[in-house]
Amino acid sequence: MSETNTDQPTTFLGRTGVEVSRLCLGTMMFGDWGNKDHDDSIRVIHAAIDAGINFIDTADIYSFGESEEIVGKAIAQSGKRDDLVLATKFFNGMKQQPNYRGGSRRWIIRSVEDSLRRLGTDYIDLYQMHRPDEHTDIEESLGALDDLVRSGKVRYIGSSTFQPSQVVEAQWSARERRTARFVTEQPPYSMLVRGIESDLLPTTHRHDMGTLVWSPLAGGWLSGKFRKGQDLPSTHRSDRDPSRYDLSKPGIAAKFEAADKLGALADDLGVPLVHLAIAFVLRHPGVTSAIIGPRTMEQLESQLGAASLELDDATLDRIDEIVPPGTNLNPEDAGFSNYWLAPERRR
């Protein structure tokens, strides 16, 4: 157990022996994509740390490095770098020119140095490949990442939004080549996006990986604001991309219908829908931590108590009736676009 008391439950990160809070602070909304006020964003990060969250996740692509810079400032001001498990990611294009993205050795070596500088730290606890790279052998990516682990710049490595077969291939390659292996996977998971229950979660569990699920509130659909008989709310996400909330699309209409029913269930239970949503993903035995992504202090405070909520079997059965296990109500929410199904790949 931790030496200091914490308001947040903790667990182990796969088989690493590293202890992390069950709520992980996601920082995509700090910076130009969300909260542009650096001081306010830092206050939210400090509040999360003070509440017992010791796990922070960011990525180089979030506001093109600005999120990492904010996280770095917040950690430096807190004086608690050694108490925190800091995760970031690489892969997505940081410039329009060639060779500023992907899983090549060339880009991995460059991107980690950029992230270390922006974060103001000598090491990254968990360095994650943000998406699989169809153009690069996984052996090359793992080889470069292994060098970073051996150099001490990175403690552990992980993947994000890999498909089950890609998870297995990466595990096999690491064992065959005797390199560091991915110890975590980061997929989308919520009461509305349950596709990973079919194969991915059993796969990561089988390989003793920690699983860090993103978007447990389904992009705000499980915030409690989407209910029948009320006008659709204007949110930060809907203002940025109205198409994601277009009820004329069958998948989105299905999400709205389910969100309303889940909201009614939360009302029956006497708990906020936000808490029900986060507690649901944490209830799965294959899930390590749920990544919450608050933009404001109010949003953070509304989510902090969720990890302590215990859901009984009767409640889980009612959720299953609304959204069947293994189902993504909107296929576009899977987080992975299968490029092999594009017409030019099939003809």
Side-chain angles (χ1 to χ4, degrees), residues 190 215-223 226 235 237-238 244-245 255:
S190 70
S215 201
L217 300 184
W221 282 94
L222 298 176
S223 64
F226 292 84
T235 66
R237 292 176 184 270
S238 65
R244 296 176 60 184
Y245 301 86
K255 286 201 298 186

Side-chain angles (χ1 to χ4, degrees), residues 218-247:
W221 282 94
L222 298 176
S223 64
K225 298 178 180 179
F226 292 84
R227 300 295 298 271
K228 289 183 177 179
Q230 302 177 10
D231 292 335
L232 287 179
S234 175
T235 66
H236 178 76
R237 292 176 184 270
S238 65
D239 290 343
R240 289 188 63 193
D241 187 1
S243 66
R244 296 176 60 184
Y245 301 86
D246 183 356
L247 293 180

Side-chain angles (χ1 to χ4, degrees), residues 39-225:
D39 290 338
D40 189 52
S41 297
I42 289 170
R43 281 191 289 270
V44 175
I45 296 171
H46 286 170
I49 295 172
D50 291 343
I53 292 177
N54 77 336
F55 198 6
I56 300 177
D57 178 75
T58 186
D60 56 4
I61 194 63
Y62 296 163
S63 296
F64 293 95
E66 188 180 3
S67 172
E68 286 186 327
E69 292 174 354
I70 293 171
V71 170
K73 292 177 187 176
I75 292 176
Q77 292 177 18
S78 74
K80 295 182 177 181
R81 174 66 185 94
D82 291 341
D83 298 332
L84 301 173
V85 178
L86 177 59
T88 191
K89 299 183 283 292
F90 71 93
F91 174 79
N92 290 287
M94 296 295 285
K95 290 186 178 181
Q96 293 295 325
Q97 297 98 315
N99 300 317
Y100 284 89
R101 69 183 307 278
S104 69
R105 170 178 288 273
R106 186 180 193 276
W107 177 238
I108 289 173
I109 300 302
R110 167 67 184 272
S111 63
V112 75
E113 295 295 343
D114 289 344
S115 286
L116 287 168
R117 173 178 48 78
R118 287 189 292 259
L119 291 165
T121 185
D122 295 329
Y123 68 96
I124 295 165
D125 292 287
L126 178 63
Y127 198 43
Q128 303 157 100
M129 190 167 175
H130 212 154
R131 289 293 188 275
D133 186 352
E134 62 167 316
H135 303 294
T136 307
D137 286 340
I138 192 64
E139 289 90 348
E140 172 164 342
S141 301
L142 289 171
L145 292 167
D146 182 69
D147 287 346
L148 296 181
V149 172
R150 292 176 185 275
S151 71
K153 293 180 179 181
V154 168
R155 299 294 190 254
Y156 301 98
I157 59 173
S159 57
S160 177
T161 322
F162 274 44
Q163 298 307 286
S165 64
Q166 294 165 328
V167 170
V168 173
E169 180 184 10
Q171 293 292 315
W172 177 87
S173 176
R175 289 168 183 165
E176 182 75 8
R177 306 284 183 175
R178 297 187 178 183
T179 63
R181 73 181 185 98
F182 290 142
V183 300
T184 58
E185 161 59 18
Q186 190 179 129
Y189 186 39
S190 70
M191 291 191 290
L192 304 181
V193 184
R194 301 183 60 175
I196 66 170
E197 294 173 339
S198 297
D199 196 4
L200 182 67
L201 280 173
T203 299
T204 57
H205 190 63
R206 202 161 54 241
H207 288 280
D208 292 325
M209 299 173 70
T211 306
L212 325 172
V213 298
W214 52 270
S215 201
L217 300 184
W221 282 94
L222 298 176
S223 64
K225 298 178 180 179

